[in-house]
Every structure is written in C-alpha cells, then in structure tokens.
Amino acid sequence: MRSLNTTKPKTRLSNSNLLFMIAGIIFVLMYGFALISYPGSFMQFQTFFDLFNLNSALFIVTLGLCVVMIAGGIDISVGAVCGLVTMACAMLLQSTMGSIWGALLLALGIGTAFGVLHGFLIAYLEIQPFIITLGGMFLAQGLLTTLHKDPINVTMPAFVSLRNFTIEIPWLGTVNRLGYFIPCEIKPGVIVVVVLVIIFAVLMKWSRFGRNVYAVGGNSESARMLGINVKRTMFFSYVISGLAAGISGFVFLMTTGAGNIGNGALFEMKAIASNVIGGILLNGGVGNLLGAPIGTLTLLTINELIRAAGVQSNLQAIVSGLLLYVFIVLQSIVMSLRGRRKFRLALPSWLKPQQLQDDKKIDN
Amino acid sequence: MLRLKAYVNRLSHLFLPLSVLALLIIINLIKGADYFSITMVNGAFYGNIPNILFGASELVILSIGMTLVTAASRGQDISIGEIGAITSATFVLYVLNAGNVTVWTILVGFLISCVVGIIIGAFNGTLVSVFKVQPMVATLILFLGGRSIAFMIDGKVSPILANEISNKIGTVIPGIPIQTPIILTAVFIAIVAVVLKTTNLRLYVESVGINPSAVRLNGIDPKKIIFLTFLIMGVCSAVAGFIAVNKAGRHDSVNILKFIMMDAILAVALGGNSLAGGKFSISGSIIGAYTIEMLNRTLLRLEVNPEAIKSFKAVFIIILMVIASPVVRVLVGKVLDRIKTFYSDRQTDGLNNAAVSITGATGKKEE
C-alpha cells in the first residue's frame, strides 16, 4: 500500500488522517510557542516528561474513550470508575491481606466489570449509551463514597517503593544553578502509557476488531449488512474502555499514592476534550488513535502554558475554554472546506483504497 | 373501543414515566400512609407533594429546553447549569447595583438575564448549527469555563440577595397559598404549551431531528431551527437560574445548578424521548423531571445512607432503562404472544399446530 501511495501521490488523505495532522500541527505550534515564550521552563526535557509523569492516568482514560468514540458511542463513567479503582485499591493495600498483584487484579476486575455492564446494556439491549454510562458514573461515585469518605494514604512498604520508583535517563537532563547534573526522571506509569498506546494503535489499525470499530462507527447499518457483528464490536469497545479506566485508576494510585474521593474527577470531560482536539469526532467512524495522546498533550500544554503565564485560576478555565473553541472552529472550517469540493469519506483511507486497489489488481 | 385504543396508543410514550411515578408513590405509601398529607403553615401549603413541585421547578424548566435541543440537534446541551449561573450572576449584579429594589427592578433584571441567556444560547447555537460541531462538544466549552465567568461577574464573592421581593419570589407571596416557584413553573409550562399549540415549532423541530436534509429540500432551514432551539434553551436556563438564585437568596456561582444537566438529560430520557433526536414529548419530560425529584426525596425518606444515595439512584435508572429498552419490550411482546397462542391452542382442540400459529398471526394482525 505504501509503494502504491508513492507511485500515486494523488491519493486523497482521509478525514481521520487530516484531523490527526491538524492535531499534530497544533500541538507542535503550541509547544513551539511555549518554548519561545517560556524558554526557561519548557526548554527542559523534564517539563515535557512531567506532562506524562503527572497525567499518565488521563492518557490511559483518553485512549479507552477514544475506541468508544470511534465506535460511535460515549462513555462518561470513565472518570468515576478511575476514582473508584484508586479508592478500592488503596483500601486493599492498606488491609492486612494487601498485595500489589492483588490490587492490580482488583483494578482490572472493577474496570472490566463496569465495561461488561455498559457493553451488555448498550450493545445487546440497545439502550442509549449516554444514560447507561451516566448510570455507571453515579454507581461508581456512590460506591466510592460508600467505601470510604476520607483520603487513604497507602503506607504499604512494597507499594511505597513502587510509587517512588523512577527511571533515570542519564544522557538527558539539566544542570542546575549549583552545577549539579540532574538526569531526567520517568515514572513507571509512563511506560504503561507507551505500551498501551502501541497496543491500542496496533489493535485499531491492523486487527479485524479495529477495522470493525471504524466500520460500525461510520455507519452501523451498512456495517451490519457487510456481515460485521455490530453488537459484539460495540460490546468489546465498552469493555476496552472500562478496562482502560481500571488500569488508569491503578496508575493514578501509583502516581499519587492515595485514595481520595476527588480522584479522577472531571476526567471524562477532559478526556472528551482531548479526543476532540486530537481529531476524534463524537459522530464516530473518524479519528486516528494516535490523536488521543496528541490531544491530551495539547490540552496539558495549554494548561501548563496558562500556569506559567501566571494567570489567575478563574481566567485559566476561561482561557482553556476559549482555546478549545478555537480548535473546534478550526477543525470544523477545515472539514467544511474539504466537504465542499467532494463528497466526504466515511471510512478511513486505509480501508477504502485497499478495495479499490484490489479491484485494480483484478483489472490488470 | 377502537378510538379508546388509539387514544391509549397516543399516550403510550407516557407509559414509562407514569409507571415509575406510580411505583414511587406506592413505595412511599408503604413507608408511611401520610404521604399525601398537606399542612397549612403561615398561609401556604407544605407537605411532600408541594415540596416535590417546589424542588423540581428549575429541573422541569431546564428539561423542557433540553427536550427541544435533543429533538432538533440530536445531542445534548451540557452547559445549562453554567448558563444559569452566568445569567443569575448578571441578574444579581443588576439588582444589587439598582439601589432601591422594586418589582420593576426585578423584572428588568430578569429580562436582562434572559437576554444574556439568549446571547449565550446563540454562541452555542452558532457552533452547533453553522460550524456543525456536535452539541456535547460545543457546550463543553462553556461547561469548562462558564462558572469562572459567573465568578468574575460576581466580583469573586457570593453576593447576598437580601430584599423583600426576591424573598417572596423564592418562597411565598402572602395571600397566595402556593409557593411562588411552583406558580412560575406552571406559568412557564403554560407558555410553552401555548407556543407549541399555536406555532409550527413542534413540526419543524421534529422533522429537523428526523431528517435534516429532507427538511432542507422542503424549504426549511435546519440551521435556523437548531439555532432557535438553542436560543430557547438559553431562555430556559435564564428562568431556571432566576428561580434558583431567588430560592437560595444568594448567588453561589460554584454550587448553583451544579450537575443539573445530568438530571435534565435523564428527565428527557425518562420521558420516553429518544436521545438521538426526532419526535419528542414535552409532557413526558416534565413528568420525568418530577419523577427524578421524587426519587431523590424517596431515597432520603427511606433513610438510605447519604453516601450510597447515588448508587441507589444509578441502580434504579439502569433497571428502568432495561425495562424500557426496545429489546426487552420485543421479548415481552413475544412472551405475551406465546401465552395467547397457548390459550387459543387449548380452545381449538381439534386443529393442528400450524393452523393455530396461522390464526395466532392473523389475530395479532387484527389487533
């Protein structure tokens, strides 16, 4: 396919890739602007890595939500599930029979349970996803407050060592004012994020499931006529989202080391915003999975930039809202300019040209 | 008989909210038989029913707007609480700066807040109709930034509305036995009913929700209709903010109408409306909104642990949606058909199975 692309450079870019490119360019411009305006802080590699270190849970939630959004659904329970997992794991670790593997299993179990519940109700009983995941959100929040109301600080030695564990990159770093060389640090959560991004990208691009997700999100009726099991695809997209929420809860606990009611609050809104910036539309069927981490990075860079500018906290929310507005309008203008020339593609290019190519091969 | 059946069919969308309401009333009556008792305190009615009507007044108004937005734009507005916070902040700002507070001050302040609501609705509506952004994403902007704007309008304090008139609007006007928010809600519902009866709004909104391109070919601009529904949403939010701030007596921009959009969307869904647009029923949404308020109060009345209230609510919602889901409905219909054929089988003893199934099918068609 790539060789064909080089021989035929006029192959149209799909909407997914176009939106992804816009997201990438916006992120590069944003970070470039940050570098120029605040070279002191943004020039350091550690600042960039800290975006990952402190927000790895948000990245994972965004990835899971991305799959559901491409399949044309919505899952607003992710933040609450993430919070529930942190509290449940913290309680388990603080109890006498706590172990890290047990906590990990608990996190995966809670996430999968919520995913299976949502997936079954939405896919097989055909209930509106917004209401069901809203119910899931209430359920998770209620369970969270029922479990424990006060923050729990995990003091289990094995977990504390895991929390404090950092990977140093010896060849990257900064020299501080006293002349000491400080290497860059990466938390284990970042590795989880990277691994998950790779797994999800492979899953969405090369597996049958991923292609089914795009087809279902683009037009579920025609996907059904093509012989795709629409219900199973939707079911598994919600299971994946729930699983990602579970993992993100554990990673959240690994970053902060405490279970708290406020953990994961508003993650669902942040994740939706990141996905939209990353070019994944709520309509479904459009979006590149790599757009999810790019969108999250853009959102976090905006927040860091506003923080660095020293604007007061109320203006912060307004400014980030305005920037979101600019992105959304920009995307919409680009899409409409594109739609004016030719009919819009519902499927991504690597699905559509393949069939054309096959036809051509047969013709030849 | 046929006419009665047609009438029942027309009301079938109200089956879900009404049955839930009935269920809640039964639960409450089991808990205590004095549920419907109304007492007279200081010349006004108090009791469970007036309390529900009083508490749900903002939710009812917002769910009316949400129904229209959902029907036309096939998406939900999640910034309604924030719009209410901003509009009520401008109302409070005007009233506090006016000096001597008369009825006219309140009225002008209310109209100003309505205008602000329309402007914000126009902002959302432009994004949705002209730029073709999904409603949830478009309103996410104000959801994130709205409360901060309200806080800045307030001047970073939570101002207190200490005057006679807003106190009366929030509670009771002497001489009238019903609390004022209930009257305001009733007036609003009446206005909406008159507008829907006398104008083509319902037809246009429903047809835009069902098929925008067909509507465009018929000479109606779907953009204008969607824009209009967002303007109406802005007015609804302004009215709800007005009632909420007068009820509370002070403007707390952080907590006023917080997370009410979830309840409003839930009310729309409970009312038997599809969240994917199309046909809508305002009466269903109104009953749904009252049902939610009743559910909240029932859980409190049953002395559920306050920490667990949300999960009970969630379980209730999920069970409700499962019962109302199309698949379960079809399944129940099939089971009922089976039972019918089983009985007809018994009656027509001599016939074989195939004939019975045919008669069963024709009998079903006749129904």
Side-chain angles (χ1 to χ4, degrees), chain A residues 198-213:
Chain A
I198 293 168
I199 291 175
F200 273 61
V202 168
L203 187 76
M204 291 304 281
K205 186 140 190 170
W206 284 294
S207 79
R208 182 184 288 178
F209 170 75
R211 288 165 196 234
N212 286 355
V213 165

Side-chain angles (χ1 to χ4, degrees), chain A residues 73-235:
Chain A
I74 182 98
D75 188 349
I76 55 168
S77 71
V78 280
V81 173
C82 174
L84 174 65
V85 166
T86 57
M87 184 60 97
C89 288
M91 282 183 75
L92 182 72
L93 287 170
Q94 276 304 84
S95 67
T96 46
M97 43 186 275
S99 73
I100 288 179
W101 291 110
L104 186 59
L105 273 180
L106 182 69
L108 293 178
I110 292 175
T112 319
F114 270 92
V116 167
L117 177 74
H118 295 155
F120 178 76
L121 292 176
I122 292 164
Y124 290 101
L125 294 187
E126 294 167 20
I127 312 176
Q128 291 148 348
F130 193 93
I131 292 299
I132 286 301
T133 50
L134 177 68
M137 181 176 144
F138 283 164
L139 186 62
Q141 282 174 352
L143 287 178
L144 172 59
T145 42
T146 320
L147 275 181
H148 211 275
K149 273 184 291 184
D150 307 318
I152 303 177
N153 200 7
V154 181
T155 48
M156 187 190 162
F159 186 80
V160 169
S161 63
L162 177 70
R163 193 189 72 197
N164 293 335
F165 177 73
T166 50
I167 303 157
E168 294 189 347
I169 306 178
W171 40 272
L172 264 180
T174 43
V175 182
N176 72 354
R177 269 180 239 160
L178 297 173
Y180 291 118
F181 179 78
I182 304 170
C184 282
E185 286 177 345
I186 291 179
K187 291 256 180 191
V190 181
I191 295 167
V192 179
V193 171
V194 173
V195 169
L196 279 180
V197 167
I198 293 168
I199 291 175
F200 273 61
V202 168
L203 187 76
M204 291 304 281
K205 186 140 190 170
W206 284 294
S207 79
R208 182 184 288 178
F209 170 75
R211 288 165 196 234
N212 286 355
V213 165
Y214 275 99
V216 169
N219 189 337
S220 66
E221 200 52 38
S222 49
R224 195 178 62 78
M225 286 174 182
L226 282 170
I228 293 169
N229 193 338
V230 173
K231 290 182 176 175
R232 201 174 60 193
T233 312
M234 278 174 69
F235 174 73

Side-chain angles (χ1 to χ4, degrees), chain A residues 259-276:
Chain A
N260 189 3
I261 292 177
N263 280 355
L266 285 182
F267 261 28
E268 59 276 351
M269 293 302 167
K270 280 182 193 164
I272 292 172
S274 324
N275 275 334
V276 169

Side-chain angles (χ1 to χ4, degrees), chain A residues 5-53:
Chain A
N5 271 351
T6 47
T7 50
K8 276 185 72 184
K10 277 189 180 175
T11 311
R12 265 168 63 84
L13 200 64
S14 73
N15 282 345
S16 304
N17 289 344
L18 179 77
L19 286 171
F20 174 63
M21 270 176 61
I22 296 172
I25 291 167
I26 283 174
F27 170 66
V28 170
L29 285 179
M30 209 73 217
Y31 209 81
F33 177 70
L35 280 180
I36 293 165
S37 40
Y38 300 99
S41 59
F42 281 92
M43 271 300 199
Q44 295 174 7
F45 284 100
Q46 188 61 48
T47 312
F48 183 71
F49 287 131
D50 273 349
L51 290 182
F52 282 97
N53 281 345

Side-chain angles (χ1 to χ4, degrees), chain A residues 227-266:
Chain A
I228 293 169
N229 193 338
V230 173
K231 290 182 176 175
R232 201 174 60 193
T233 312
M234 278 174 69
F235 174 73
F236 278 109
S237 72
Y238 283 97
V239 172
I240 285 178
S241 164
L243 199 62
I247 298 172
S248 84
F250 191 76
V251 171
F252 197 109
L253 191 63
M254 234 153 65
T255 324
T256 60
N260 189 3
I261 292 177
N263 280 355
L266 285 182

Side-chain angles (χ1 to χ4, degrees), chain B residues 234-306:
Chain B
V235 175
C236 290
S237 311
V239 176
F242 172 74
I243 292 178
V245 79
N246 280 318
K247 260 188 191 176
R250 69 198 288 250
H251 188 265
D252 179 1
S253 56
V254 180
N255 288 321
I256 188 170
L257 298 177
K258 196 173 194 182
F259 289 124
I260 203 167
M261 79 284 185
M262 302 288 184
D263 279 348
I265 297 168
L266 196 61
V268 172
L270 271 187
N273 299 304
S274 159
L275 291 189
K279 291 211 159 201
F280 67 88
S281 134
I282 296 271
S283 46
S285 299
I286 293 169
I287 296 172
Y290 283 126
T291 310
I292 291 168
E293 182 69 20
M294 202 166 182
L295 172 64
N296 287 341
R297 282 172 191 262
T298 306
L299 288 175
L300 285 174
R301 197 156 179 266
L302 293 178
E303 287 160 19
V304 173
N305 200 357

Side-chain angles (χ1 to χ4, degrees), chain A residues 121 124-125 127-128 130-131 134-135 139 141-142 145 149 269 276 281-283 312 314 317 321 325 328 332, chain B residues 123 131 133-134 136-137 140-141 143 148 151 156 262 265 269 274-275 307 310-311 314 318 321-322 325 327:
Chain A
L121 292 176
Y124 290 101
L125 294 187
I127 312 176
Q128 291 148 348
F130 193 93
I131 292 299
L134 177 68
L139 186 62
Q141 282 174 352
T145 42
K149 273 184 291 184
M269 293 302 167
V276 169
L281 300 183
L282 265 176
N283 294 344
Q312 68 173 97
N314 278 307
Y325 172 72
I328 291 169
S332 149
Chain B
F123 172 80
F131 291 107
V133 184
Q134 298 94 338
M136 246 189 92
V137 178
L140 186 70
I141 297 167
F143 174 79
S148 303
F151 198 59
K156 294 159 195 171
M262 302 288 184
I265 297 168
S274 159
L275 291 189
E307 287 99 39
K310 264 192 171 170
S311 11
I318 290 174
M321 294 321 286
V322 167
S325 71
V327 174

